[in-house]
């Protein structure tokens, strides 16, 4: 009888590789808090100020600018915004500004009357909108509203 010989199994392998890809697009989302002036006394010698906050989240390294529309009132412009009375159609002028001193109007034309370009980080970035009803602005007794559209250009 021939002795049994032990054979070890020899392993064989085959390999390949594959590509893994992704494309990151530039994208932005924006949210805004309301600007609520509260009660305005037109015979007061004081301005009425209020602020709102824009939260913009853009893909990292994406430059963007944020503009504010004129609002929806008849005859409004970005330099002469107006709220419309709920009961009547009277208008109450107000302004939206880039700075707390109310010196830089916040318009809607990138590179002209919007804040300087900001570069997205992928995280929420905040901007304050400064609103003001100038002292001595006349308005009939009413509750006034306006709707301003925020446009992020990237």
């Amino acid at each position: 009888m021939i002795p049994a010989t032990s054979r070890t199994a020899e392993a064989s392998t085959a390999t390949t590789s594959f590509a893994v890809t992704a494309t990151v697009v530039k994208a932005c989302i924006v949210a805004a808090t309301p600007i609520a002036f509260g009660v305005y006394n037109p015979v007061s010698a004081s301005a009425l100020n209020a602020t709102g906050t824009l939260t913009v989240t853009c893909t990292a390294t994406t430059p963007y600018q944020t503009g504010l529309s004129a609002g929806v009132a008849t005859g409004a412009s970005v330099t002469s915004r107006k709220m419309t009375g709920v009961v009547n159609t009277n208008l109450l002028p107000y302004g939206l500004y880039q700075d707390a001193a109310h010196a830089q109007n916040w318009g809607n034309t990138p590179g002209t009357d919007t804040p300087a370009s900001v570069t997205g980080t992928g995280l929420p970035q905040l901007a304050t909108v400064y609103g003001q009803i100038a002292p001595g602005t006349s308005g009939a007794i009413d509750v006034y509203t306006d709707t301003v559209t925020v446009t992020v250009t990237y």
Side-chain angles (χ1 to χ4, degrees):
M1 177 163 197
I2 302 177
T5 56
S6 153
R7 289 190 176 217
T8 40
E10 293 185 26
S12 297
T13 61
T15 63
T16 190
S17 59
F18 59 90
V20 177
T21 65
T23 301
V24 176
V25 297
K26 62 181 183 173
C28 295
I29 55 173
V30 62
T33 63
I35 295 177
F37 285 108
V39 177
Y40 176 66
N41 178 352
V43 297
S44 170
S46 301
L48 184 58
N49 299 317
T51 60
T53 302
L54 305 180
T55 304
V56 181
T57 307
C58 289
T59 309
T61 72
T62 300
Y64 68 90
Q65 288 185 292
T66 308
L68 303 178
S69 74
V72 296
T74 302
S77 70
V78 295
T79 56
S80 179
R81 290 181 170 95
K82 302 169 191 310
M83 290 180 272
T84 304
V86 174
V87 175
N88 58 52
T89 57
N90 289 334
L91 301 173
L92 183 64
Y94 72 100
L96 297 177
Y97 303 91
Q98 301 175 39
D99 61 319
H102 305 102
Q104 289 185 285
N105 181 63
W106 196 324
N108 205 26
T109 307
T112 301
D113 58 2
T114 61
S117 183
V118 177
T119 300
T121 64
L123 299 172
Q125 294 173 292
L126 305 179
T128 302
V129 180
Y130 299 90
Q132 183 178 73
I133 299 174
T137 300
S138 63
I141 297 170
D142 204 341
V143 173
Y144 290 85
T145 65
D146 193 15
T147 301
V148 174
T149 300
V150 181
T151 301
V152 176
T153 303
Y154 58 97

